[in-house]
Amino acid sequence: MTVIDGRGVTRVLRALHAAGSMSRSDLGSATGLNRSTVASLVAELVEAGIVEEGAGAGGTVGRPSLMVSAVPDSLAVIGWDLRVDSSSAVVEGFGGRILHRWRKDHRRGSTDPYEVAARVVTGSSEIAEELPDHVIIAGIGCAMPGVIDPGGEPPRTTIHRAPSLGWVDVPFGVILGEAMRERFGAHVPVLLGNDAKLGAMAEWTRGAGRDSRAMVFVSGDVGIGGGVIVEGELLTGASGYAGEIGHLRFDPEGPVCRCGARGCWETAIGINTIVRSAGMDPVAAGITDVMRASTQGDAASANALANAARAVGQGLASVVNLVNPDTVVLAGHLAELLGTYKHTIVEELRFTLSRDSTHIDVVKPELGADSIVIGAAELAFERALSSPARALAEAVSLRTE
Ligand SMILES: [Zn+2]
């Protein structure tokens, strides 16, 4: 049996996971490994069945270079985006290909941790039924609307605080791991991450932030989350909640926020605020309803959207002064707002110290609505690729018969 472990192989696997497919020489420059090391590692990985080699495009004329490619269904993970009113999942294969998607809405569903875990277990079982028999799952990553304890035991399995779920210090990763073991009779590693931070990481590696040096990701929903990445490093802070830009003080006279403070940015731009200002009920209506009413001439809706867009730009100006990003990604309902009100939002950035605010790209996520769920899958992959031999040995099919 081959022993595929060690830092060199992890570097090769990470590069292939990010790119999907590369020539041997590109793999060498991406990993800093010499030709013969790359050749022997690739040979081992081919034998293990997780990469394959074949003629690819490019190379010198008449002599196509040999391409090393990830085999997507040789190793997979499930990424979950667990929200208050919906759960969605993707099965991501090695090399970044999405093998399967799953989604369920549960308006005002229970937020009891055991019931949320049961939802994930049932969903995982439904997902497994749709996958080919040979696909094995090396882990589960969950994006959660809350602050994750970066330490904890085991690390990244405890939610320190999730106001929208009403959770304080809930060891959800352990609860879910036990529920998975009970259902599938196997240990499936579970890691938790903050939703906006995972979205930021996914956009950085696979989306709008690919060429960025400093990027701010703002996720919009009932709450406003944030992720700040500078030179590839995600800002986490001393205990994990750096980048919680939704709770920057925006209006000292504003309404009380879910966090207990007054006038946080999310009380001005959160989706419920916009829907309510448009005279609609947040339980029944969403941003698309407000947009539609606005285009049909409803003045309250038009006002609500314009005010929110201004507030987005004003709050962003503070963030821009703090971080000096070249790219700002607005996700969720803020992406929809950006579609119509980009001018209003960018206009407010003129007061920042940036010499020319037009040099800041304010964009929608390139991964669309998938950034967060893909970030969750990447979290699980990160663990798997740090110790591929262990990951391959532990990975299981979640099919029960
Ligand atoms: Zn707050």
Side-chain angles (χ1 to χ4, degrees):
M1 188 194 150
T2 50
V3 183
I4 45 160
D5 238 328
R7 252 178 285 167
V9 79
T10 289
R11 267 187 267 167
V12 168
L13 291 172
R14 281 193 182 137
L16 280 174
H17 181 57
S21 168
M22 311 173 89
S23 70
R24 276 197 193 183
S25 61
D26 287 345
L27 204 46
S29 16
T31 57
L33 299 168
N34 65 36
R35 270 176 67 171
S36 65
T37 310
V38 169
S40 71
L41 287 174
V42 166
E44 279 193 51
L45 294 168
V46 168
E47 201 182 317
I50 55 180
V51 312
E52 56 193 10
E53 274 192 296
T60 12
V61 180
R63 190 170 161 271
S65 64
L66 212 53
M67 295 296 281
V68 183
S69 307
V71 179
D73 55 4
S74 62
L75 190 65
V77 302
I78 308 181
W80 283 91
D81 181 4
L82 300 174
R83 304 190 185 200
V84 177
D85 57 0
S86 71
S87 310
S88 50
V90 294
V91 179
E92 188 187 32
F94 177 48
R97 189 185 299 168
I98 301 303
L99 304 176
H100 189 68
R101 287 168 192 281
W102 184 97
R103 183 189 162 93
K104 213 160 250 181
D105 292 314
H106 36 79
R107 273 200 179 272
R108 298 205 243 179
S110 163
T111 59
D112 175 80
Y114 290 89
E115 286 179 37
V116 176
R119 228 178 262 151
V120 173
V121 170
T122 306
S124 299
S125 177
E126 289 175 22
I127 287 167
E129 294 305 313
E130 302 298 323
L131 293 176
D133 282 346
H134 63 274
V135 176
I136 48 173
I137 302 296
I140 286 184
C142 296
M144 316 285 304
V147 178
I148 314 301
D149 186 346
E153 199 39 60
R156 293 189 291 174
T157 56
T158 298
I159 302 263
H160 172 52
R161 202 158 171 226
S164 58
L165 297 169
W167 295 4
V168 176
D169 293 327
V170 173
F172 182 68
V174 174
I175 293 171
L176 176 56
E178 277 166 14
M180 292 292 289
R181 188 200 299 274
E182 221 164 86
R183 177 75 171 81
F184 301 106
H187 168 71
V188 184
V190 176
L191 290 177
L192 312 181
N194 170 267
D195 47 11
K197 292 187 171 62
L198 292 176
M201 285 309 287
E203 284 296 325
W204 179 270
T205 44
R206 295 188 186 277
R210 272 195 310 267
D211 301 319
S212 166
R213 284 189 64 195
M215 184 191 94
V216 173
F217 179 91
V218 189
S219 72
D221 195 29
V222 174
I224 300 297
V228 175
I229 300 182
V230 178
E231 304 283 2
E233 289 294 322
L234 177 75
L235 193 68
T236 55
S239 50
Y241 66 87
E244 282 293 336
I245 51 186
H247 301 281
L248 288 177
R249 174 65 56 87
F250 181 74
D251 175 8
E253 312 290 314
V256 174
C257 177
R258 295 176 304 157
C259 73
R262 187 174 282 283
C264 293
W265 195 25
E266 79 172 40
T267 65
I269 65 169
I271 191 159
N272 287 358
T273 304
I274 301 177
V275 172
R276 268 193 217 107
S277 321
M280 299 182 198
D281 177 4
V283 175
I287 190 79
T288 39
D289 301 299
V290 182
M291 301 279 246
R292 195 180 312 120
S294 171
T295 46
Q296 289 167 352
D298 179 59
S301 297
N303 266 334
L305 293 168
N307 287 341
R310 242 184 324 272
V312 168
Q314 288 161 353
L316 219 43
S318 300
V319 180
V320 164
N321 277 334
L322 181 68
V323 179
N324 182 203
D326 51 40
T327 307
V328 172
V329 183
L330 299 181
H333 74 281
L334 301 180
E336 303 198 40
L337 210 54
L338 183 66
T340 315
Y341 293 89
K342 182 162 185 172
H343 178 76
T344 311
I345 293 173
V346 173
E347 169 99 339
E348 294 295 338
L349 299 182
R350 71 189 184 281
F351 295 116
T352 60
L353 295 185
S354 169
R355 226 183 293 149
D356 182 358
S357 58
T358 57
H359 285 167
I360 306 169
D361 273 331
V362 184
V363 294
K364 296 180 182 190
E366 253 182 53
L367 301 171
D370 279 347
S371 357
I372 291 173
V373 76
I374 288 176
E378 294 295 345
L379 180 66
F381 251 117
E382 179 57 33
R383 179 190 187 275
L385 299 185
S386 69
S387 182
R390 179 189 64 190
L392 281 168
E394 286 181 354
V396 288
S397 159
L398 296 182
R399 295 174 76 94
T400 41
E401 58 246 23

